Amino acid sequence: MRHSLAGRAESAIQARLLTRLRDEGPLSKAQLADRLQVSRTTVAAEVGRLLELGLAQEAGPAASRGGRRSTMVDLAEDIRFVGIAIGATGMTVGVTDGRLATLATRQLGCDIRQGPEEVLGIALAGVREVLDELGVEQPAGAGIGVPGPVDFDRGMSVTPPIMPGWDGYPVRDAVSRELGCPVLLDNDVNLLAIGEQHSGVARRARDFLFVKIGTGIGCGIVIDGELYRGVDGCAGDIGHIRVSDEGPTCACGNIGCLEAYAGGAALARDATVAARAGESPFLAEVLEANGVLTAADVGLAVQRGDASAVQLIRGGGSRVGQVLATLVSFFNPGMIVIGGGVTGLGHPFLAEIRGVTYGRSLSLATGSLPIVLSEMGDEGGVVGAARLISDSVYAPESVN
Amino acid sequence: MRHSLAGRAESAIQARLLTRLRDEGPLSKAQLADRLQVSRTTVAAEVGRLLELGLAQEAGPAASRGGRRSTMVDLAEDIRFVGIAIGATGMTVGVTDGRLATLATRQLGCDIRQGPEEVLGIALAGVREVLDELGVEQPAGAGIGVPGPVDFDRGMSVTPPIMPGWDGYPVRDAVSRELGCPVLLDNDVNLLAIGEQHSGVARRARDFLFVKIGTGIGCGIVIDGELYRGVDGCAGDIGHIRVSDEGPTCACGNIGCLEAYAGGAALARDATVAARAGESPFLAEVLEANGVLTAADVGLAVQRGDASAVQLIRGGGSRVGQVLATLVSFFNPGMIVIGGGVTGLGHPFLAEIRGVTYGRSLSLATGSLPIVLSEMGDEGGVVGAARLISDSVYAPESVN
């Protein structure tokens, strides 16, 4: 067990060594020299320094390639990253190893409107439980995602429409103080995107969009393998794109926002109306029993072939497709990944999104465009958060 | 006068030297060493090689900074680039010096539907005239823009909706053979964007959109100072975003495309309807006199306070604003530049675009977002084309 915090990479070559080991697994010094196009002497010296920093370890002789055997190098086996993925109505916290494999996660209930102190208190208590369970004394870093715009450089939320009390709260610094390690804060959807890129369906994609449809709707944008955040950090905020000049009032106060048609809260609202209007005996029954309907109930109704529920999710899917068609014409991505709770609605929802997106975009841009469901689920945010902070620990900007 | 073609940069340092000289003007060897963070010895050796390649020249002693005087270095004064900006109904060809200052341009009529051989014949004849006029025997390279999707790597148009006969025609290679120099082909709007970035209103912008509203409508996307072309090279094709489920039929065969509402051809069509319906005595008079109406006639009518014409351009501007608001929420750019012929419609058009874009986007994303008219006009495409090929001559990918 290590008691002191591992260091960060000190040189551009160390950074390249560490990210190779993270993304490819253990490699021999000879392989590392080949991949980085530097001499074996340089690799040996830099690996030596990484051993001292507690970031790498040697792992026995490599298989022979003829000549002198090379030594295998791996990330230090005790590196641990914390990932905290906070949503509007719940969160997932977890701990990964140095290669971002998840060792343990925990789902916790919360309401983002309780404000930062309470919500972060829940998150930190959960993190401490998981760290204790795994016997981790000191994580190497932590990433946090929150459901709203983030000033990445200052590490705080800015003007988040659904997060009263969070505007300007120093989330990054507060959590860093509590955990005693480097922390980075980002928008939840950005982290889902890079989590999917690290371990999910977007592993080979360089330019793709990750569209999260949960209580709200947002989009992570990856360009040439890197997150694009926009000049004010609010790129991808597609939930408040106006899809109709009439339409329902959104939580943000405007009318006709995509989120107010197709987000989880919107589906629950419309399902309640349908139940009360006698259009769906099943939904009426659930409403009677629980006093409230959720998007998940709509999913159950769809599974039972409830026509009214199918109509609801087709309507939502169609609005999502309408926006995605516009984004495909503009951005010509290589892949669109759909994630978030509403993806539990199953095939008819995805089918509607695909139909409208493919039907309304340029054929040149959709010819080889996969529109697929996330493979990562709730774990995506944890892996993405770990990925974010691992980039900073393994390849800090100061050495690039 | 040089008789043989200048070489291309051979090393990454030469590439950085040349692009510095292009973008900043003459610099002393001492300044170049400072800016590139390499030794003066290295600068002296690499500059020596650039002199041999005919790409740079020495320009006398620099002002004293104390100690030994440094020598000024400039781009070779006889470097000439050709820019060819082909639009749907006309083109601009021109020649620039090594720093991309325009030395001469020529406006030529054409109809893109005449096909590549005829249109490129007109372009090349114009280019030869300008080269003769300037006494240039051999340009260092040429850039070409065409109004449709381009396969950048293969140097040809692909499935261009308004360009019959161009699909798969080897534009780049045909022009390269004729001019005897390296040639690159790109979409016209991409070139307008980098032209504006080099010499226009976007000089200090890293992430911006250039929206061209001419006969058609398209968008150039610059991310972190570089053009973003999308995975199939058709990013920015916003003219065919569907803004209405009803609406007029577009030249592409779909209905409700932005271009079919707000492009120059659409305005001319709507103006003709208004003239025939007796809604605008002025437009009726022009139609009577010329037998046809153009977007420019609508501009004239607006200047005379013709209510029907003002209504037309407000309608078009509003549809453009509707799409831009969506793109602002998605992309969070640092600037939007509006260019193309329709910008001749004047203030009411820009005012409508701004009003709708600002009114419908997230306030976080529009707080410091300038929406401005292009400063470059027709010259933008020529400078952008020269910029494209200069990047390849000064900083070829093989040395980066």
Side-chain angles (χ1 to χ4, degrees), chain A residues 277-318:
Chain A
E279 288 165 15
S280 164
F282 173 77
L283 288 172
E285 212 174 284
V286 179
L287 179 61
E288 175 79 29
N290 302 348
V292 64
L293 284 174
T294 66
D297 297 325
V298 181
L300 286 177
V302 169
Q303 278 173 30
R304 291 169 171 247
D306 183 286
S308 161
V310 170
Q311 206 179 353
L312 277 182
I313 66 162
R314 286 238 167 99
S318 169

Coordinates of all heavy atoms in Angstrom, one line a residue, chain A residues 277-318:
Chain A
A277 N -56.0 11.0 -19.2 CA -57.0 11.2 -20.3 C -57.6 9.8 -20.6 O -58.4 9.7 -21.6 CB -56.4 11.8 -21.5
G278 N -57.2 8.8 -19.9 CA -57.7 7.4 -20.2 C -57.2 6.8 -21.5 O -57.8 5.9 -22.0
E279 N -56.0 7.3 -22.0 CA -55.5 6.8 -23.3 C -54.7 5.5 -23.1 O -54.4 4.8 -24.0 CB -54.7 7.9 -24.0 CG -55.5 9.0 -24.5 CD -54.7 10.2 -24.9 OE1 -53.5 10.1 -25.0 OE2 -55.3 11.3 -25.1
S280 N -54.3 5.3 -21.8 CA -53.4 4.1 -21.5 C -53.8 3.5 -20.2 O -53.4 4.0 -19.1 CB -52.0 4.5 -21.5 OG -51.2 3.5 -20.9
P281 N -54.6 2.4 -20.3 CA -55.0 1.7 -19.0 C -53.8 1.3 -18.2 O -53.8 1.5 -16.9 CB -55.8 0.5 -19.5 CG -56.1 0.8 -20.9 CD -55.1 1.7 -21.5
F282 N -52.7 0.9 -18.8 CA -51.5 0.4 -18.1 C -50.9 1.6 -17.3 O -50.6 1.5 -16.1 CB -50.5 -0.2 -19.0 CG -49.2 -0.5 -18.3 CD1 -49.1 -1.6 -17.4 CD2 -48.1 0.3 -18.4 CE1 -47.9 -1.9 -16.8 CE2 -46.9 0.0 -17.8 CZ -46.8 -1.1 -16.9
L283 N -50.7 2.7 -18.0 CA -50.0 3.9 -17.3 C -50.9 4.4 -16.2 O -50.5 4.8 -15.2 CB -49.7 5.0 -18.4 CG -48.5 4.7 -19.3 CD1 -48.4 5.7 -20.4 CD2 -47.2 4.6 -18.5
A284 N -52.2 4.4 -16.5 CA -53.2 4.8 -15.5 C -53.1 4.0 -14.2 O -53.1 4.5 -13.1 CB -54.6 4.8 -16.0
E285 N -52.9 2.7 -14.4 CA -52.7 1.8 -13.3 C -51.5 2.1 -12.5 O -51.5 2.1 -11.2 CB -52.6 0.4 -13.8 CG -53.2 -0.8 -13.0 CD -53.1 -2.1 -13.8 OE1 -54.0 -2.2 -14.7 OE2 -52.2 -2.8 -13.5
V286 N -50.4 2.3 -13.2 CA -49.1 2.6 -12.5 C -49.2 3.9 -11.8 O -48.7 4.1 -10.6 CB -47.9 2.6 -13.5 CG1 -46.6 3.0 -12.8 CG2 -47.8 1.3 -14.2
L287 N -49.8 4.9 -12.4 CA -50.0 6.2 -11.8 C -50.8 6.1 -10.5 O -50.5 6.7 -9.5 CB -50.7 7.2 -12.8 CG -50.9 8.6 -12.3 CD1 -49.6 9.3 -11.9 CD2 -51.7 9.4 -13.3
E288 N -51.9 5.3 -10.6 CA -52.7 5.1 -9.4 C -51.9 4.4 -8.3 O -52.0 4.9 -7.1 CB -53.8 4.1 -9.9 CG -54.8 3.6 -8.7 CD -55.8 4.7 -8.4 OE1 -56.2 5.5 -9.3 OE2 -56.3 4.8 -7.3
A289 N -51.1 3.5 -8.6 CA -50.3 2.7 -7.6 C -49.2 3.5 -7.0 O -49.0 3.5 -5.8 CB -49.8 1.4 -8.3
N290 N -48.4 4.3 -7.9 CA -47.2 5.0 -7.4 C -47.5 6.5 -7.2 O -46.6 7.1 -6.6 CB -46.1 4.8 -8.4 CG -45.8 3.4 -8.7 OD1 -46.2 2.5 -8.0 ND2 -45.0 3.1 -9.7
G291 N -48.6 7.0 -7.7 CA -48.8 8.5 -7.5 C -48.0 9.3 -8.5 O -48.2 10.5 -8.5
V292 N -47.1 8.7 -9.3 CA -46.3 9.4 -10.2 C -45.8 8.5 -11.3 O -45.8 7.3 -11.1 CB -45.1 10.0 -9.4 CG1 -44.2 8.9 -8.8 CG2 -44.3 11.0 -10.3
L293 N -45.5 9.1 -12.5 CA -45.0 8.2 -13.6 C -43.6 8.7 -13.9 O -43.3 9.9 -13.9 CB -45.9 8.4 -14.8 CG -47.2 7.6 -14.8 CD1 -48.1 8.0 -16.0 CD2 -47.0 6.1 -14.7
T294 N -42.8 7.8 -14.4 CA -41.4 8.1 -14.8 C -41.2 7.6 -16.3 O -42.1 6.9 -16.8 CB -40.4 7.4 -13.9 OG1 -40.5 6.0 -14.2 CG2 -40.6 7.7 -12.5
A295 N -40.1 8.1 -16.8 CA -39.8 7.6 -18.2 C -39.6 6.1 -18.2 O -40.0 5.4 -19.2 CB -38.5 8.3 -18.7
A296 N -39.1 5.5 -17.1 CA -39.0 4.1 -17.0 C -40.4 3.4 -17.2 O -40.5 2.3 -17.8 CB -38.3 3.7 -15.7
D297 N -41.4 4.0 -16.6 CA -42.8 3.4 -16.7 C -43.2 3.4 -18.1 O -43.9 2.5 -18.6 CB -43.8 4.2 -15.8 CG -43.4 4.2 -14.4 OD1 -42.9 3.1 -13.9 OD2 -43.6 5.2 -13.7
V298 N -42.8 4.5 -18.9 CA -43.2 4.5 -20.3 C -42.5 3.3 -21.0 O -43.1 2.7 -21.9 CB -42.8 5.9 -20.9 CG1 -43.2 5.9 -22.4 CG2 -43.4 7.0 -20.2
G299 N -41.3 3.1 -20.6 CA -40.5 1.9 -21.2 C -41.3 0.6 -20.9 O -41.4 -0.2 -21.8
L300 N -41.8 0.4 -19.7 CA -42.5 -0.8 -19.4 C -43.8 -0.9 -20.2 O -44.1 -2.0 -20.7 CB -42.9 -0.7 -17.9 CG -41.8 -1.0 -16.9 CD1 -42.4 -0.9 -15.4 CD2 -41.3 -2.4 -17.1
A301 N -44.4 0.3 -20.4 CA -45.7 0.3 -21.2 C -45.4 -0.1 -22.6 O -46.2 -0.8 -23.2 CB -46.3 1.7 -21.1
V302 N -44.2 0.4 -23.1 CA -43.9 0.1 -24.5 C -43.7 -1.4 -24.7 O -44.1 -2.1 -25.6 CB -42.6 0.8 -25.0 CG1 -42.0 0.3 -26.3 CG2 -42.9 2.3 -25.1
Q303 N -43.0 -2.0 -23.6 CA -42.8 -3.5 -23.7 C -44.1 -4.3 -23.7 O -44.1 -5.4 -24.3 CB -42.0 -3.9 -22.4 CG -40.5 -3.7 -22.5 CD -39.8 -4.0 -21.2 OE1 -40.2 -4.8 -20.4 NE2 -38.7 -3.2 -21.0
R304 N -45.1 -3.7 -23.1 CA -46.4 -4.4 -23.1 C -47.2 -4.0 -24.4 O -48.4 -4.4 -24.4 CB -47.2 -4.0 -21.9 CG -46.6 -4.5 -20.6 CD -47.2 -3.9 -19.4 NE -46.8 -4.6 -18.2 CZ -47.5 -5.3 -17.5 NH1 -48.8 -5.4 -17.7 NH2 -47.0 -5.9 -16.4
G305 N -46.6 -3.3 -25.3 CA -47.3 -3.0 -26.5 C -48.4 -1.9 -26.4 O -49.3 -1.8 -27.2
D306 N -48.2 -1.1 -25.3 CA -49.2 0.0 -25.1 C -49.1 1.1 -26.2 O -48.0 1.7 -26.3 CB -48.9 0.6 -23.7 CG -49.9 1.7 -23.4 OD1 -49.8 2.8 -24.0 OD2 -50.7 1.5 -22.5
A307 N -50.1 1.2 -27.0 CA -50.1 2.1 -28.2 C -49.8 3.5 -27.8 O -49.0 4.2 -28.5 CB -51.4 2.0 -29.0
S308 N -50.4 4.0 -26.8 CA -50.2 5.4 -26.4 C -48.7 5.6 -26.0 O -48.1 6.7 -26.3 CB -51.1 5.7 -25.2 OG -50.8 6.8 -24.5
A309 N -48.1 4.7 -25.3 CA -46.7 4.8 -24.9 C -45.8 4.8 -26.1 O -44.8 5.6 -26.2 CB -46.3 3.7 -23.9
V310 N -46.1 3.9 -27.0 CA -45.3 3.8 -28.3 C -45.3 5.1 -29.0 O -44.3 5.7 -29.5 CB -45.7 2.6 -29.2 CG1 -45.1 2.7 -30.5 CG2 -45.5 1.3 -28.5
Q311 N -46.5 5.7 -29.0 CA -46.7 7.0 -29.7 C -45.9 8.1 -29.0 O -45.2 8.9 -29.7 CB -48.2 7.4 -29.7 CG -48.6 8.3 -30.8 CD -50.1 8.6 -30.7 OE1 -50.8 8.1 -29.9 NE2 -50.5 9.5 -31.6
L312 N -45.9 8.0 -27.7 CA -45.1 9.0 -27.0 C -43.6 9.0 -27.3 O -43.0 10.0 -27.6 CB -45.2 8.8 -25.4 CG -46.4 9.4 -24.7 CD1 -46.3 9.0 -23.2 CD2 -46.5 10.9 -25.0
I313 N -43.0 7.8 -27.3 CA -41.6 7.7 -27.5 C -41.3 7.9 -29.0 O -40.2 8.4 -29.3 CB -41.0 6.4 -27.0 CG1 -41.5 5.2 -27.8 CG2 -41.2 6.2 -25.5 CD1 -40.6 4.0 -27.6
R314 N -42.2 7.6 -29.9 CA -42.0 7.9 -31.3 C -41.9 9.4 -31.5 O -41.0 9.9 -32.2 CB -43.1 7.4 -32.2 CG -43.0 5.9 -32.4 CD -42.9 5.5 -33.9 NE -42.5 4.1 -34.0 CZ -43.4 3.2 -34.3 NH1 -44.6 3.4 -34.5 NH2 -42.9 1.9 -34.4
G315 N -42.8 10.1 -30.8 CA -42.8 11.6 -30.9 C -41.5 12.2 -30.3 O -40.8 13.0 -31.0
G316 N -41.0 11.6 -29.2 CA -39.7 12.1 -28.6 C -38.6 11.8 -29.6 O -37.7 12.6 -29.8
G317 N -38.5 10.5 -30.0 CA -37.5 10.1 -30.9 C -37.4 10.9 -32.2 O -36.3 11.2 -32.7
S318 N -38.6 11.3 -32.7 CA -38.6 12.0 -33.9 C -38.0 13.4 -33.7 O -37.3 13.9 -34.6 CB -40.1 12.1 -34.4 OG -40.2 13.1 -35.4

